[in-house]
């Protein structure tokens, strides 16, 4: 591989592959390069050192292409073995600040998913701009395939606010909001769980997956109580009606279905042939209407949930996000033409067009009073709009990446925004950023505002499989956000320990671990204790396997026994002395 400086016309040669290199790609921030080769490997190169820092192995044939995801935390590769592989290239530590630590060593180059389905060489692969889909193509089998990327994709709060549900690769998990205890794991799906929601009463949970069936679960047990079968291709999104026992689902089979969850019957099948990929549904507050849309293609439609009739086609273009007003009389859409449109939910007429963003609008929400709309965009800004005056009150800048989600606090005094780089809390009155959650690994997939027993929280789920709960204390003169707990699959629970000379921690990991007394700098006294522990281990090894324990003739058995007894007694005294010395050393460090 050759790196060229176009200004100086100088060249730097990167060596490491054992065969032809087919493609190279820069990471979004320009700090790395990924290369794909005939030697069946992807290599990740540091642009600072010009050296290969990791080799991704797993493919069984020539690799044609490797490229980074939009936020730079994953690499996709494809080649002659007919598969696409997705690699995690950033992993972090997860921990709980309440005495328990959940620590995951940093890893680079873990193959997170292998996507199989093509029958011949995969010649191209590309991430969607949001990074939640991957498209792949094969020249030989003449197909293009669209894949949904899932790690921990969604987080939803129970109606009481005491629990959250998260969806991940093939499971859903229920967590206690205050303690971070995983209460239930729902396992019956055979493929990626794409959405999870609580019923309005909180006694039931619905999950949908790429394995097609929708499953209904008891919220108090791990029992799957109902299975709703009808969609022919995987179901991407589901939503409960607020006031009736109805559930809506939308699938890549170009249909929306409305289910009676008591009888397990499909009440209506709503056909929308324009919708394919990135499909979403949302009920109106009173449950009389249902809106369906796609982030990739298709139209924005309002359906009558009682009759199953399409009342209005608001737009024939895709929508990035849709939200009902609290009263249900308006629908706001975030659009790829950089605008927000507010629609009359009864007549289907466009009431307002809000213009100001410099790039496509990715998310939109109403304030609890319905007087404002907050919008986020790929131009990295949030805007707060006065609906009555049709003016932009605030342009909120601070994120370094495009905004993926925005929501108001339950009281409407804060706006919470999420991007791949951070979660930020903004004061609605002043437009100032009150607090920020930064340093999360793998990108932020979803957030949820939670109010439980008078305490406010923000829940986060990330691409590195971490689920976090952040306590929010908002006062007139200050806003403090602290980590309540964080959990990740495969974590190691450590209690009452201090990590010395910790290497590879991100700034956030190091700060939080030091804040909780779980990590510290080099300590001479602890190093001395560690050396004594090594010596003690050597003594224990000698006690178990004394070097002089060899076969003897029967006549010398008594002599050897006496000799060994004397040695073991001496070693035991040394062992006791070491224990006392170590205890004294550690006490001196406190």
């Amino acid at each position: 591989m050759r790196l060229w400086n176009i200004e100086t016309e100088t060249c730097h040669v990167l060596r490491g592959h054992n065969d032809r290199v087919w493609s190279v790609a820069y990471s979004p921030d320009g700090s790395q390069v990924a290369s794909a080769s005939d030697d069946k490997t992807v290599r990740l190169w540091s642009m600072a050192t010009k050296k290969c820092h990791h080799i991704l192995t797993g493919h069984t044939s020539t690799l044609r292409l490797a490229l980074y995801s939009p936020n730079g935390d994953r690499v996709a590769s494809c080649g002659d073995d007919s598969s696409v592989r997705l690699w995690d290239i950033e992993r972090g530590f997860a921990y709980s600040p309440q005495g328990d630590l959940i620590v995951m060593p940093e890893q680079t180059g873990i193959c997170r998913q292998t996507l199989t389905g093509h029958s011949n060489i995969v010649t191209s692969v590309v991430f969607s701009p949001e990074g939640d889909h991957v498209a792949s193509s094969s020249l030989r089998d003449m197909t293009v395939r669209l894949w949904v990327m899932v790690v921990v994709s969604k987080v939803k709060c129970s109606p009481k606010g005491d629990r959250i549900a998260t969806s991940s690769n093939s499971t859903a998990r229920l967590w206690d909001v205050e303690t971070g205890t995983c209460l239930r794991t729902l396992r019956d799906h055979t493929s990626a769980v794409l959405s999870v929601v609580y019923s309005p009463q909180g006694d039931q949970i619905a999950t949908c997956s790429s394995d097609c069936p929708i499953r209904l679960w008891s919220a108090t047990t791990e029992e799957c109580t109902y299975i709703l079968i009808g969609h022919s291709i995987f179901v991407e999104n589901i939503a409960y009606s607020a006031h009736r026992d109805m559930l809506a689902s939308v699938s890549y089979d170009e249909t929306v279905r409305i289910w009676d969850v008591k009888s397990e019957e499909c009440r209506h099948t709503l056909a929308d042939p324009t919708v394919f990929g990135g499909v979403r549904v949302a009920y109106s507050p009173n449950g009389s209407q249902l809106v369906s849309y796609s982030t990739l293609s298709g139209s924005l439609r309002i359906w009558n949930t009682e009759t199953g009739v399409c009342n209005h086609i608001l737009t024939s273009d895709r929508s990035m996000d849709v939200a009902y007003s609290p009263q249900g009389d308006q629908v706001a859409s975030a659009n790829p033409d950089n605008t927000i449109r507010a629609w009359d939910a009864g007549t289907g007429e466009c009431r307002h067009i809000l213009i100001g963003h410099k790039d496509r609008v990715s998310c939109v929400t109403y304030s609890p009073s319905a007087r404002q709309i907050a919008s986020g965009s790929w131009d990295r800004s949030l805007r707060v709009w006065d609906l009555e005056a049709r003016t932009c009150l605030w342009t909120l800048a601070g994120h370094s990446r495009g905004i993926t989600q925005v929501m108001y606090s339950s009281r409407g005094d804060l706006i919470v925004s999420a991007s791949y780089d951070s979660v930020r809390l903004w004061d609605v009155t002043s437009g100032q950023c009150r607090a920020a959650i930064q340093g999360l690994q793998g990108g932020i997939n979803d957030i949820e505002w939670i109010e439980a027993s008078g305490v406010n929280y923000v829940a986060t789920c990330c691409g590195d499989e971490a689920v976090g709960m952040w306590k929010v204390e908002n006062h007139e003169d200050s806003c403090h956000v602290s980590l309540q707990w964080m959990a990740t699959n495969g974590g190691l629970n450590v209690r009452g320990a201090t990590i010395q000379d910790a290497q590879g921690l991100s700034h956030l990991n190091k700060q939080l671990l030091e804040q909780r007394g779980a990590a510290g700098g080099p300590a001479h006294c602890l190093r001395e204790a560690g050396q004594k522990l090594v010596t003690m281990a050597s003594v224990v090894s000698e006690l178990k396997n004394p070097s002089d324990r060899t076969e003897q003739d029967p006549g010398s058995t008594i002599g050897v026994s006496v000799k060994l007894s004397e040695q073991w007694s001496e070693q035991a005294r040394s062992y006791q002395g070491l224990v006392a010395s170590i205890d004294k050393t550690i006490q001196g460090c406190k």
Side-chain angles (χ1 to χ4, degrees), residues 70-121:
N71 67 343
D73 66 331
R74 286 170 292 170
V75 166
S77 59
C78 65
D80 291 6
D81 62 3
S82 307
S83 72
V84 175
R85 287 179 178 253
L86 301 177
W87 311 84
D88 279 351
I89 60 171
E90 292 183 5
R91 294 296 302 274
F93 288 78
Y95 30 77
S96 164
Q98 299 168 314
D100 294 335
L101 277 178
I102 306 172
V103 181
M104 176 176 284
E106 289 206 347
Q107 304 176 58
T108 299
I110 302 301
C111 182
R112 180 55 55 200
Q113 288 178 273
T114 300
L115 310 177
T116 58
H118 285 290
S119 60
N120 214 308
I121 296 171

Side-chain angles (χ1 to χ4, degrees), residues 15 80 99 109 126 236 292 390 392 404 417 517 537 581:
R15 303 182 186 276
D80 291 6
V126 63
E236 187 170 1
S292 66
R390 304 185 188 184
C392 179
T404 57
S417 60
S581 176

Side-chain angles (χ1 to χ4, degrees), residues 16 51 114-115 167 191 230 241 248 264 279 350 473 477 493 541:
K51 293 182 179 179
T114 300
L115 310 177
S167 61
S191 191
S241 172
E264 304 177 62
V279 285
C350 182
E473 298 173 281
D477 56 344
N493 292 303
S541 177

Side-chain angles (χ1 to χ4, degrees), residues 133 234-237 250-252 275-281 293-297:
H133 290 75
F234 63 82
V235 183
E236 187 170 1
N237 192 238
V250 61
S251 165
Y252 276 41
V275 173
F276 182 82
V279 285
R280 305 285 188 272
V281 287
Y293 64 101
S294 170
T295 62
L296 300 180
S297 65

